[in-house]
Every structure is written in structure tokens, then in C-alpha cells.
Amino acid sequence: MEPIRVLLVGNGGREHALAWKLSQSLLVESILAVPGNGGTSTCPKVTNYSTVKADDYPGLVALAQEKSINLVVPGPEAPLVDGIEGYFRAVGIRCFGPSKLAARMEGSKTFSKDFMKRHNIPTAAYENFSDYEDAKKYLDSIDHNVVIKASGLAAGKGVIIPTTKEEAHAALKEIMLDKEFGSAGDEVVIEEFLEGDELSILSFSDGYTIRSLPPAQDHKRIFDGDQGPNTGGMGCYAPTNIVTKQLLEEVERTILQPTIDGMRNEAFPFVGTLFTGLMITRNGPKVLEYNVRFGDPETQTLLPLMETDLAKVMIACTDHYLSAVSVDVKPGASVTVVVAAGGYPGSYPKGTPMDVQTPPEGSNTNIFHAGTTIKDGQLQSSGGRVIAAQATAGNLELAVKKAYSGVEYIKFDKMFYRKDIAHRAFKPTAATREALTYALAGVSIEDGNEFVTRIKKAVASTRRPGADAEIGGFGGEVDLEQAGYAGGPIMVGAIDGVGTKLAIAQAMEKHDTVGIDLVAMNVNDLVVQGAEPLMFLDYYGCSKLTQKNAIAFVEGVAAGCRDANCALVGGETAEMPGMYSGEDYDAAGAAIGTMYKEYRLPQISSMVEGDVLLGLASNGVHSNGFSLVRRIVAREGLSYSDPAPWDKSTSAGLSLLTPTRIYVRSLLKVTNKKLIKGLSHITGGGLTENIPRMLPEHLSAEVDVATWSLPPVFKWLKQAGNVSATEMGRTFNTGVGMVAVVSKENAAQVITELEAAGEKIYSIGRLVPRSGEGCVLKNLQSWD
């Protein structure tokens, strides 16, 4: 093979890394960088050339012919989308990059999404829009989170992830009307927001064969913790720890090879490096986007791991014999930390003098220039992402430390960089994270059940006419007529507290919603017995009374009472110095209601096999399981003031403080018509422990948990806490706060009436003969 003379087009960090790697090749004689940057000028064999502009394609052809160039390597996407490959193909000069037709995979997101649909390549559901009003109407018609993408090239910034409907509309206006990204926003893609782990795969291709580098993970957001606006990329690491050999094989089989085959079969074969952005969802890998060139900062991260001669691979791609070449990588890890100009990705200064030292030889640390230039012998900044420190090491932890040590060789005014590159890799995976349970969080359901059993004898000794003094149900009863009050109804009482949810209220300094919780926990326990709540009493205990906290709490209690249509008739405030810490307090409440015998629930004698189980949707976690919730939040290092990982529109604390739903008014509409055979309030013990409390001993509840979607907060708790599906079902309400037993004949009417009253209803199962447990949860794998 004749010596290779390279024309490298571009001036970013990617191009510096390419020049650095190509200069190591024994096959490469010289490299001409147009225009290059302050880093490429220091590489062996490399000459920066600025007489011809990087977008003057005829001029570049003339330059290539003058300098006997035999390999052109375009770095950025713009020249590829413009069709630079065709200019050089026309004069017989190799170009490592796709044709103009193939570059549409990056140049038009609408084109690439439609391509994926044609070839059954997994991706997010989407719609394309060129009309702003149509796009607005579509946003208003959906209720799931979205990603909004400018269809054309926007320098890696044309993707907006809104967290609310208002933000989505603002983003749409910004792209389509305000032209934030110019003509790139003439058309937009609105697609489903995918949840999971994001990663990038760079694959060499000759149009037939693919050879991929290790999967990498970029950090797009400007601030630590993946906060703030999107950037072109603030850092990267490889390989990722979320990818198994089996997953890589699945990606190649279902995504990469079908993509290359599909492009060839549609007569625009792909030659070059295909960048595939993926989201690893619970339903498998899905494509976020294609880029038709090396990624940035993925290139700076991956090329130092590559052992095979890069020039050899490029020639194998352009000459269509990649199947004869292996792409080998060294063991270990690589990390890149990008250093940006102050103010980026907003407005930022240029021309800032820089002092950049060279890391010691043999340190496996590199400095890759991006937005730099040399003016009058002085290195200066010339872009937003200015420069990067990269390091390789035997393991990721050491590579991170070395990369941040590399940042110390860089000095310029107002430089900015993230301090947490690769942070996601150090979060425990499901395989290594301790599986948390309610018991590990300090609460034992078994001990609670045993306690009830052991005190039953003492409780039973208090029997009197009208009260059998049995415990274990949702509330206690006194038949006033049997107690000597002629014609009197049955009086029902319930007593409960809020539990450790109070600790979150203290952390957030928000006390009204837990007052609502206190009422809800009691009145819901009354209505399941068929009773109407009439009055409520509360207890508030503290070491020192903080009036603003106590007032907010009682105002919440009053709000809950109004919702339940019961009167707040009294309470007790106990100030006990030394009993509690600081402003901590505890609270309990009691609700009293009445019913007549014919409305008493559960109607155990009327329950039969085949009766239908209806689930009433919850508002969230409600008021049980918070010892486990708080343990998970603490282990994840999540502050209650941080954005909720399951709902970016609010904080974790405010979301968790969403009050328990009060079902009283809606349920009384159907219990008073005798349409319900039994009700179960899903509190501590979850579905597993609470549903059997309303059933006869010969029947069991068969619940299909796939009949409703596990709400996002529970998905996060399950994943972050590595909580088993079985444990979820016996700890949390999992999205169903109340369960009703109805006959098949009455099911449709009950659903209609409850929905009319504002409830969301699921048909979740049926009663079956009991052969073991009183509640059997089916399809638990749907929660995984």
C-alpha cells in the first residue's frame, strides 16, 4: 500500500483526537488539517491549513489534488450532509464518510425516524410536524412526556426534553417560530420520552460489515447530577457497566446490522463511522438517534482504547473489505472531562488566553483541544467547549482520577467543567445493590401481625353489650341498639397516625398535607365498613409547640374533614419537653361514623367464586411504607429538594407528600345502593396483607397486577431500592389505594358510578377458592 496522505476536515476535539490517532499509524505519511486547531498543530505529521475554508468543497478538492491526498476524513456532520463525499468520489479520492444520501440519517431526524419504522428498528413512538399549529394540537392531545427535536442539524443542541406541558409548548415555539436553531427547526419530531440508561456505540462500516468500539456513555447536561440545559457533551467514559455481552449481541442483531443492511438495500450504502445513540429501556434497547460521523467527546474517549491502526480500518471501509480486519481494543477504561468557557452553553467569551501544559509521557493522559486557536503565538479559546482532559487506566475509578488530574494542566479564566463524570457507573446496579425490604427499613409486618394475635385475649375481655371487642379489622363497632339505645345505628370508630411520612414533612417544612393524610387514613377505614364518617378528633404531640407548624397541620386536618364531609369536633395538643427532638412532632387521629346493619361491610356470606375485584387508583405512595421510602432515598443520595427522578416537574419531597386519597364521598354513592360486597383500604401490608381482611376463609383474591401500570414513583422505588415485586406488593399500594368486591352483574354499574364520581377504576381480578394465601398476585414480572 502506498503511503497515506490524509486531508482531515474540521477543528474540534474530535478532529484533534483523529489527528492524534492517525499520526501514530505507520501507514500515514502526512496529515493536512483544515483548519485544525491549537491541538492538531502539535501532532506529529500534522500541518494546519487555513487558506481554504472547510466548507469550500471545490477548493478542498483542488488542495487534495495539489498535495496528492489519497484519504479524506471529514470530522463534523455539516460537510457530510452537504455531500462532501461526492466531490472527492468524482475525482477518484477516497473519502471516509457517507454519501449525501446516506448522511440524511443525521441531517433529517424525520427521515431517520421514518427509516427506522420501515425497517422495524426499535425506537420511540413519534410524529413529524412541519406546521406549528398541528404540532401544538398534537402536544395538547397527549398526556405522556415527550422529547422535541429540530429535524435538521443544530450542532448537537436541537433536542429539548421538557418536564411540563408548558415547557413543551415553549420549546416548540422556540424551535419552530423563534428559529432558535435556524432552518433546522422548519420541521420537528415529537417523540415519546424513553426512560432507562443512555449509551452510544460507534461502529465502522464498509456498507456490509460492522465493527464496533466499546459502548460509551456521554454526559449532555451542563451541570453535575445531569442538571441544566443540554450541551454538545461535557464528558464521557467507556466501557459502560450496564452493557452485557448478550445486550451487545442484541443491539447488533436488532439495530446495527438491520440499519446497515437497510441503507444498502435502499441504495444508499453507509461507509464511515455510524454513531448510534441508544436508550436501554425495560423493553430492550431503542434508538434515540443516528449520527453519521465520530461523536464528540466519544471519539476522544474511545480512540485511546483502540489498538488497531485507525488508518488501516478507514481504508478497509472505503475499499469495502472491512470483514478482513478486526478492531481490537485494550483492556481497561477511558474517561474524558470537557472544559468549557464560562457561560456555555449560553453566551461565552472568546479569545481568552490559555496556559496548557503537556502531561508527562507515559501517564496515559492526553489533552485534546476543541475550541482553541493560536494567535500571535498565544493559545486562546475560540469556542464553547474549549478543551478536554482524557485518561486511560486499568479500571474506571482510576481513569476518572487521572482524567481529573489531567484537568489541572489546563488554566484559563472562568473555565468550567463537571465534577461528576462517570457518576452513573458508580451507582450500584440491581445485581450488586442490596435488595431492600420493609423489615430492613425497620418495620416488620410479621411482628405487627403477631402483636395483634397476642393482645386479642386482653381486648376480648372488654366485651359489653353491643360490642364484641374483636380486633384485626379496619375499625371497631358498637351496635347502639344492643347497647341499650333503642333504634340506634351501629357506631364505627377508627384510629390511626401518619407514620414516618412526618419526617419528610419536617424536611420540606410543609405540614398541611400530612394533616389531610391523618384524616384519610381514618375515614377510609370507616367507609370500608359501610359507615359514613361524622366526626374527627386529632392529637398533636411535640416537645415545644411551633405555632406555624401546628397551625398548618390543623388546617390540613380541616381540609381533609371537609373532603370527607365530617366535622372536626376536637383534639389534644400535648407539649412534652424532652420527648421529641427540636421541632419534631407526632400525630394521631380518630374518626367516628355510623351505619345501619343492612349496610354493614364486608358481606362475607354473599361473596362467591367469580366475584370481581375492582381497584381504585391511588394518588401516590399515600401514608404507608415510608420507612422503606426514606431508606431508599437516603441510599440514593437524593435530597428531598432535588427534582423527583420519577417526575421532573416537582421535587422529590413535594411529590412524596402528595396526600392520601379520600374515597369517602365516591364510595358512599355505591355502598348506599348495596352494590358493594366488600372493601379493603390498601395501607401498610399492601395488597397482599389488606385484601384478605375483607374475605371469608374459603375464598382468595386472585389479582393480576398487569391490569394497571405501576406508577412512576413506585417504578423508581423498586429499581433504586432493588425491591422485589413480591415485597412491593406487601409494602406499598402500588397504584391501587382501595379494592372493592362486586358481583359480576353489578361490576359495570359500579365502574360507571365511581368513574362519574371522579375515580379511576381498574378491573384487577376475581375471587377464587382458597388453597393457601388469601391474596395471590399474578404477573409480578410486569413490574420488572
Side-chain angles (χ1 to χ4, degrees):
M1 180 184 295
E2 67 173 319
I4 299 173
R5 293 170 293 278
V6 178
L7 173 60
L8 175 63
V9 180
N11 64 343
R14 163 185 48 229
E15 287 73 41
H16 185 185
L18 286 167
W20 171 82
K21 190 66 176 177
L22 286 168
S23 69
Q24 298 169 17
S25 171
L26 297 177
L27 302 174
V28 172
E29 179 180 88
S30 63
I31 303 170
L32 201 60
V34 178
N37 61 30
T40 56
S41 65
T42 66
C43 292
K45 305 180 185 178
V46 179
T47 302
N48 284 359
Y49 197 94
S50 57
T51 303
V52 179
K53 299 295 184 183
D55 58 357
D56 177 5
Y57 307 126
L60 290 175
V61 170
L63 177 65
Q65 291 173 322
E66 177 190 339
K67 302 293 186 181
S68 300
I69 298 295
N70 52 15
L71 177 63
V72 178
V73 181
E77 62 275 17
L80 291 166
V81 171
D82 287 345
I84 189 174
E85 180 270 346
Y87 286 89
F88 288 96
R89 176 164 36 87
V91 296
I93 299 176
R94 298 184 187 96
C95 183
F96 180 78
S99 67
K100 185 173 185 176
L101 289 177
R104 290 176 297 175
M105 295 291 276
E106 179 171 3
S108 171
K109 291 180 174 62
T110 58
F111 177 84
S112 65
K113 293 290 286 190
D114 290 342
F115 173 90
M116 286 182 258
K117 180 184 287 186
R118 289 196 300 274
H119 294 278
N120 297 314
I121 294 168
T123 187
Y126 73 100
E127 294 289 342
N128 300 327
F129 295 96
S130 56
D131 182 85
Y132 173 69
E133 292 299 327
D134 288 345
K136 273 183 63 179
K137 290 176 184 176
Y138 176 72
L139 276 181
D140 287 331
S141 72
I142 58 177
D143 57 7
H144 57 76
N145 291 337
V146 298
V147 178
I148 303 178
K149 299 179 178 181
S151 181
L153 297 181
K157 301 174 189 173
V159 177
I160 298 178
I161 305 174
T163 58
T164 65
K165 187 65 70 75
E166 291 73 22
E167 286 184 13
H169 277 292
L172 192 65
K173 179 177 179 293
E174 182 179 287
I175 294 173
M176 298 193 80
L177 294 187
D178 300 341
K179 297 298 182 184
E180 176 70 20
F181 306 113
S183 61
D186 290 348
E187 191 172 22
V188 298
V189 178
I190 300 177
E191 67 180 32
E192 167 196 13
F193 175 76
L194 297 177
E195 293 186 79
D197 286 293
E198 193 171 340
L199 59 87
S200 311
I201 296 183
L202 271 64
S203 307
F204 298 102
S205 179
D206 62 357
Y208 296 86
T209 302
I210 54 174
R211 294 281 188 266
S212 297
L213 292 170
Q217 193 166 62
D218 189 7
H219 296 63
K220 286 291 187 188
R221 303 282 188 166
I222 184 66
F223 299 125
D224 288 3
D226 301 316
Q227 301 297 309
N230 268 349
T231 69
M234 292 301 296
C236 183
Y237 72 96
T240 65
N241 62 351
I242 62 171
V243 178
T244 63
K245 180 181 178 182
Q246 292 75 18
L247 179 59
L248 279 177
E249 289 173 350
E250 181 182 357
V251 168
E252 183 167 328
R253 182 181 69 256
T254 64
I255 293 173
L256 299 180
Q257 195 64 56
T259 298
I260 296 301
D261 292 344
M263 295 175 75
R264 184 180 66 254
N265 292 333
E266 291 194 18
F268 51 93
F270 185 90
V271 173
T273 299
L274 182 69
F275 172 115
T276 307
L278 300 169
M279 184 70 80
I280 310 304
T281 74
R282 60 179 295 184
N283 297 317
K286 294 189 177 185
V287 177
L288 295 175
E289 64 174 352
Y290 295 113
N291 292 334
V292 295
R293 36 71 190 183
F294 286 98
D296 184 341
E298 288 85 356
T299 304
Q300 298 92 303
T301 307
L302 291 167
L303 289 186
L305 290 173
M306 185 176 171
E307 292 188 321
T308 306
D309 187 320
L310 177 59
K312 178 181 177 182
V313 175
M314 287 180 169
I315 295 296
C317 289
T318 60
D319 293 3
H320 309 291
Y321 61 84
L322 185 59
S323 59
V325 176
S326 64
V327 175
D328 301 321
V329 296
K330 65 181 69 172
S334 177
V335 174
T336 300
V337 179
V338 172
V339 180
Y344 175 81
S347 61
Y348 53 85
K350 295 182 181 180
T352 303
M354 301 177 63
D355 178 17
V356 178
Q357 302 299 314
T358 302
E361 190 173 344
S363 66
N364 292 320
T365 302
N366 298 293
I367 304 298
F368 289 121
H369 293 238
T372 71
T373 189
I374 296 176
K375 187 173 182 180
D376 299 328
Q378 170 67 55
L379 183 68
Q380 298 180 355
S381 67
S382 61
R385 290 189 299 160
V386 178
I387 200 165
Q390 178 276 330
T392 55
N395 60 64
L396 183 60
E397 186 174 7
L398 184 56
V400 169
K401 290 179 180 178
K402 289 176 65 176
Y404 278 105
S405 295
V407 172
E408 297 175 8
Y409 295 102
I410 301 167
K411 299 286 188 297
F412 64 95
D413 189 40
K414 297 181 180 177
M415 59 185 271
F416 174 83
Y417 58 94
R418 280 182 57 163
K419 314 300 190 298
D420 67 342
I421 300 303
H423 72 99
R424 281 167 275 175
F426 298 115
K427 293 179 74 171
T429 64
T432 60
R433 188 187 292 125
E434 179 188 20
L436 293 181
T437 64
Y438 212 12
L440 284 173
V443 179
S444 171
I445 299 294
E446 289 81 3
D447 285 353
N449 291 340
E450 182 183 353
F451 173 71
V452 170
T453 300
R454 294 182 66 175
I455 64 173
K456 279 187 174 180
K457 183 177 180 181
V459 173
S461 69
T462 69
R463 287 190 183 97
R464 57 149 293 157
D468 56 16
E470 289 188 0
I471 58 173
F474 289 98
E477 298 179 1
V478 175
D479 187 326
L480 292 178
E481 186 170 41
Q482 293 183 15
Y485 297 87
I490 296 174
M491 185 168 63
V492 184
I495 186 167
D496 209 337
V498 180
T500 59
K501 190 175 184 178
L502 289 172
I504 301 177
Q506 288 280 26
M508 296 299 293
E509 296 184 356
K510 182 174 175 59
H511 306 278
D512 55 343
T513 57
V514 286
I516 299 173
D517 283 312
L518 184 64
V519 176
M521 294 300 290
N522 285 281
V523 297
N524 285 341
D525 278 355
L526 288 190
V527 77
V528 300
Q529 297 188 208
E532 178 184 4
L534 298 178
M535 63 180 182
F536 191 83
L537 301 99
D538 66 12
Y539 166 84
Y540 185 96
C542 58
S543 285
K544 180 174 177 55
L545 183 64
T546 304
Q547 288 207 18
K548 64 180 178 63
N549 295 354
I551 290 170
F553 178 81
V554 174
E555 286 175 345
V557 172
C561 286
R562 289 193 297 271
D563 192 350
N565 195 30
C566 69
L568 177 57
V569 297
E572 166 71 6
T573 300
E575 195 170 12
M576 300 172 286
M579 182 64 71
Y580 300 94
S581 175
E583 294 186 356
D584 288 355
Y585 62 90
D586 197 8
I592 308 297
T594 60
M595 65 184 176
Y596 288 101
K597 290 180 181 179
E598 59 266 31
Y599 297 104
R600 175 193 271 153
L601 295 175
Q603 297 175 5
I604 288 177
S605 61
S606 69
M607 293 184 186
V608 297
E609 179 183 352
D611 278 347
V612 176
L613 294 170
L614 300 179
L616 283 69
S618 68
N619 281 348
V621 185
H622 283 183
S623 299
N624 292 96
F626 274 88
S627 295
L628 180 53
V629 169
R630 291 168 54 242
R631 175 81 177 266
I632 294 170
V633 167
R635 189 170 76 174
E636 288 297 291
L638 182 68
S639 168
Y640 290 118
S641 60
D642 289 342
W646 57 90
D647 181 2
K648 299 296 185 183
S649 68
T650 188
S651 67
L654 289 179
S655 177
L656 291 170
L657 286 175
T658 301
T660 305
R661 188 171 184 83
I662 294 175
Y663 299 97
V664 171
R665 291 178 186 262
S666 55
L667 283 175
L668 286 175
K669 293 178 185 295
V670 289
T671 58
N672 288 341
K673 294 180 182 179
K674 300 182 181 179
L675 296 173
I676 300 286
K677 294 186 178 183
L679 289 167
S680 177
H681 184 200
I682 308 305
T683 58
L687 298 165
T688 306
E689 298 288 335
N690 283 291
I691 294 179
R693 295 167 70 182
M694 65 170 167
L695 301 180
E697 291 186 358
H698 68 285
L699 291 175
S700 176
E702 183 181 78
V703 177
D704 183 354
V705 302
T707 54
W708 73 94
S709 295
L710 191 67
V713 61
F714 293 113
K715 289 180 182 178
W716 183 84
L717 289 168
K718 185 180 188 307
Q719 181 182 17
N722 195 21
V723 183
S724 71
T726 300
E727 185 70 15
M728 291 291 293
R730 71 192 301 265
T731 302
F732 300 113
N733 67 62
T734 63
V736 173
M738 185 76 70
V739 174
V741 176
V742 300
S743 67
K744 291 179 181 178
E745 295 76 19
N746 289 338
Q749 182 182 349
V750 171
I751 291 172
T752 298
E753 296 206 17
L754 288 177
E755 287 180 340
E759 302 295 345
K760 187 171 185 178
I761 309 298
Y762 312 107
S763 183
I764 64 172
R766 62 194 180 102
L767 296 187
V768 297
R770 186 181 300 204
S771 58
E773 298 294 329
C775 179
V776 178
L777 304 182
K778 295 174 55 181
N779 290 319
L780 285 170
Q781 72 277 6
S782 69
W783 287 349
D784 294 329

